[in-house]
Amino acid sequence: MKNENLIKEMNVYLANLNLLYVKLHNYHWNIEGRGFFQLHATYEELYNHVTETLDEVAERILIMGERPAASMKEYLALTTLKERESSPIAVEASVREVKEDFEVMYQDTLKLITLSEEAGDPITADMFTGYASEFHKKLWMMRAYLA
Ligand SMILES: [Fe+2]
């Protein structure tokens, strides 16, 4: 199959989004200190956005005639992100951690644009271009917060 590697990397991306979805809940619940109210709400916005994205990626894999990973077992085997223990964390430290994961996601998104183009798939490339733009913008916001 021509796009075998693209599908494989899309499933890794899907696994990472699922991990990110859980991790953003972890921060939403476990942050402590000044800025709680603002970041609590921000993490909710982020995980709601991530769940829309992961659904689009999974459905794109189906449209391409393949099968998306759909179990926690597969996601944990495929992910390149690390899970976070269930423990309190200071607001600013949480933003630093989320920024690290978003940097990984941004770089992976750029790679997926290239893989999609190489597979001759402008629709998938366009989908990932939109995600790259989103991650890039969120990274700017996190850098501004941490400055
Ligand atoms: Fe909540």
Side-chain angles (χ1 to χ4, degrees), residues 73-122:
K73 190 178 168 186
E74 285 166 283
Y75 295 148
L76 288 170
L78 289 169
T79 189
T80 58
L81 302 179
K82 283 199 184 70
E83 284 217 282
R84 183 180 183 274
E85 61 184 16
S86 309
S87 62
I89 181 167
V91 168
E92 192 175 318
S94 77
V95 176
R96 262 184 261 117
E97 288 188 12
V98 173
K99 183 169 159 280
E100 276 180 30
D101 282 348
F102 272 52
E103 274 164 2
V104 171
M105 294 306 297
Y106 175 59
Q107 292 303 327
D108 287 353
T109 312
L110 294 180
K111 282 179 206 149
L112 277 158
I113 297 169
T114 305
L115 281 177
S116 305
E117 285 168 348
E118 284 169 1
D121 183 344

Side-chain angles (χ1 to χ4, degrees), residues 4-14 112 115 128:
E4 193 174 359
N5 191 40
L6 173 60
I7 297 290
K8 185 176 145 268
E9 291 305 321
M10 284 174 77
N11 267 314
V12 171
Y13 194 82
L14 176 61
L112 277 158
L115 281 177
F128 283 115

